[in-house]
Amino acid sequence: MSKEKDFFRELMRLLVSSSIYILMWIVALYISYMTLFLCYKVVFSIFIHMSQLGDTTQAGLATVGKMSITLTEEILSVVTIILVLVKSFKILVWYSKHHHIAIKDLVEIAIIALIMEVVFNFWVHSLAINWLFAVFGIGLLIVYAMFPYFRRENHKK
């Protein structure tokens, strides 16, 4: 090969590697931020529930019930976002080590993201889009469960 092609190939390899590592740092920082936000939400919801313990009227209990459902949805949404981010970080680490991405990881993150959209953002999308997400997520889950490739622990390294 010519020196120009070798130089260009090395330059592109350095650019991609540095971009991956920068992206890994950004994802790691965002995971830390979301974890702290989750801790804040949990402490806040505990504080709110403790402050509302004395109100045993029907209206007070209804208000606390609505508020606890809303806080639970927010907490579960943050947990699933953290799961997607951790899986994304795992994919980036795998790519930085092996310079390819395992299909298993992509299918897992797609299943998690689709379930997250259907469960926590149901009202954002139309009913047809939600059905499409649900069918696609169930299809991916069936593919994941049926094919032996996805059940193996050790892949080519």
Side-chain angles (χ1 to χ4, degrees), residues 11 13 22-23 52 93 109 117 123 128 131 139 149 152:
L11 181 67
R13 188 188 65 76
I22 290 170
L23 190 57
Q52 298 291 330
V93 168
I109 200 169
E117 279 299 310
W123 57 89
W131 274 105
Y149 170 79
R152 284 186 290 172

Side-chain angles (χ1 to χ4, degrees), residues 35-114:
T35 304
L36 289 174
F37 181 71
L38 178 65
C39 292
Y40 165 75
K41 277 290 188 187
V42 169
V43 168
F44 177 73
S45 53
I46 289 171
F47 176 74
I48 291 294
H49 283 288
M50 295 300 275
S51 66
Q52 298 291 330
L53 281 178
D55 191 10
T56 57
T57 63
Q58 187 70 21
L61 291 175
T63 304
V64 170
K66 289 178 186 176
M67 187 173 37
S68 65
I69 289 172
T70 303
L71 287 171
T72 303
E73 285 178 352
E74 290 176 8
I75 288 170
L76 288 175
S77 179
V78 172
V79 167
T80 55
I81 289 170
I82 291 172
L83 285 174
V84 169
L85 288 172
V86 168
K87 196 67 177 169
S88 301
F89 187 79
K90 180 182 173 188
I91 290 171
L92 289 171
V93 168
W94 181 269
Y95 183 80
S96 69
K97 289 180 181 176
H98 304 286
H99 300 292
H100 72 277
I101 298 173
I103 299 295
K104 178 182 178 181
D105 293 332
L106 292 178
V107 171
E108 287 173 355
I109 200 169
I111 292 169
I112 294 168
L114 285 169

Side-chain angles (χ1 to χ4, degrees), residues 5-18:
K5 284 185 181 180
D6 288 340
F7 175 74
F8 182 71
R9 180 174 287 143
E10 184 64 23
L11 181 67
M12 290 307 294
R13 188 188 65 76
L14 286 173
L15 179 67
V16 169
S17 293
S18 61

